[in-house]
Amino acid sequence: MITVHHLEDSRSQRVLWLLEELGQDYAVKRYDRDKSTKLAPPGLKAVHPLGKSPVIEDDGRVVAETGPIVEYLIDKYGGGKFRPQKGTDDYLKYVYWMHFAEGSAMTQLILKMFFTEIKNAKVPFFVKPIAKAIAGRVLGTYVDPNIRDQLDFIETELQGQEWFAGPEISGADIMMVFPLEAVQKLTSLTTRHNCSAYIRRIHQRSAYRRALEKGGPYAYS
């Protein structure tokens, strides 16, 4: 049986969702974040040297990182679904969004979370103006404009279509849901009607709701 090493409020929720969509049996080993640092607990290093989630174990294999896990599960259990046919335009879109999710989208969102934390951190009064000014400048001149550009792009790409890579749901959607959920948590999507409708569409899927039951409380749902 597949074991998912699942960290609360993390990318690994996507792996549970995919397994529910695939109809595969799996076990969840759940980990709580450190209350002060918000990082994964040391116990995950017993599974993978980097101590990050998600990690799965399947048939003696340990597979880490969401993208490789999604590809592995679709290749092994997808039965030809969840991935467009190679050589098609939809397949190129599939590959693009699979990599965009972590390569472009999550990079900016992590910077957003990091510098927002610095901006609002409790520090000595003589340091606070400097920290706030530096963080505000990085956010205002680099991070926020990049996030806006990405959302404009995604909003346009979702115009008139339900999924990112063709008429059927695919691994690209499994990958893209978390950055969109995260950005919705960090900022408003009220003017991004296609993005908002996309998230609602995913949240209404029975497989997604079953994954929430298996994974426990999830701040981005």
Side-chain angles (χ1 to χ4, degrees):
M1 179 182 287
I2 301 165
T3 299
V4 181
H5 295 272
H6 171 62
L7 180 65
E8 64 175 337
D9 295 333
S10 76
R11 295 162 165 91
S12 63
Q13 187 64 39
R14 293 180 290 192
V15 176
L16 304 185
W17 174 34
L18 175 57
L19 285 165
E20 289 293 336
E21 293 282 359
L22 293 171
Q24 289 297 310
D25 292 331
Y26 62 97
V28 179
K29 186 169 182 181
R30 199 169 183 278
Y31 300 80
D32 294 327
R33 293 180 180 275
D34 183 278
K35 299 302 181 187
S36 57
T37 66
K38 305 301 181 184
L39 298 176
L44 267 169
K45 287 191 173 181
V47 186
H48 187 274
L50 294 181
K52 304 292 185 182
S53 176
V55 180
I56 67 167
E57 293 181 90
D58 182 38
D59 289 339
R61 295 188 180 97
V62 175
V63 187
E65 292 285 343
T66 319
I69 291 170
V70 169
E71 291 196 62
Y72 171 83
L73 292 174
I74 289 173
D75 285 347
K76 187 170 181 180
Y77 301 109
K81 297 180 179 179
F82 295 94
R83 183 179 60 198
Q85 184 177 354
K86 288 186 177 181
T88 64
D89 290 342
D90 286 342
Y91 184 78
L92 290 177
K93 290 182 180 179
Y94 168 81
V95 172
Y96 176 81
W97 291 111
M98 285 281 293
H99 291 276
F100 177 91
E102 292 293 323
S104 294
M106 283 308 300
T107 299
Q108 299 303 321
L109 291 174
I110 289 169
L111 288 172
K112 172 80 170 174
M113 290 185 279
F114 180 73
F115 280 101
T116 299
E117 184 72 20
I118 291 175
K119 188 176 179 181
N120 299 327
K122 292 181 179 180
V123 294
F125 73 92
F126 54 87
V127 175
K128 189 172 182 64
I130 299 172
K132 189 173 181 179
I134 293 172
R137 183 164 181 80
V138 173
L139 289 168
T141 62
Y142 178 72
V143 178
D144 289 339
N146 271 303
I147 291 175
R148 285 196 297 270
D149 286 348
Q150 288 181 359
L151 287 173
D152 286 343
F153 175 52
I154 293 168
E155 183 75 7
T156 299
E157 289 293 303
L158 287 173
Q159 181 65 40
Q161 62 184 54
E162 290 191 344
W163 311 112
F164 275 101
E168 303 293 335
I169 192 170
S170 74
D173 300 293
I174 303 295
M175 292 298 295
M176 280 300 298
V177 68
F178 185 81
L180 284 174
E181 288 175 326
V183 78
Q184 184 173 242
K185 185 84 171 177
L186 291 169
T187 187
S188 174
L189 285 180
T190 53
T191 62
R192 316 284 184 177
H193 302 297
N194 295 332
C195 292
S196 298
Y198 176 80
I199 295 171
R200 288 195 301 271
R201 196 155 50 244
I202 286 175
H203 287 183
Q204 289 167 1
R205 292 181 71 85
S206 58
Y208 185 93
R209 295 196 296 270
R210 291 195 302 272
L212 288 178
E213 294 174 2
K214 297 281 186 68
Y218 178 57
Y220 301 102
S221 63

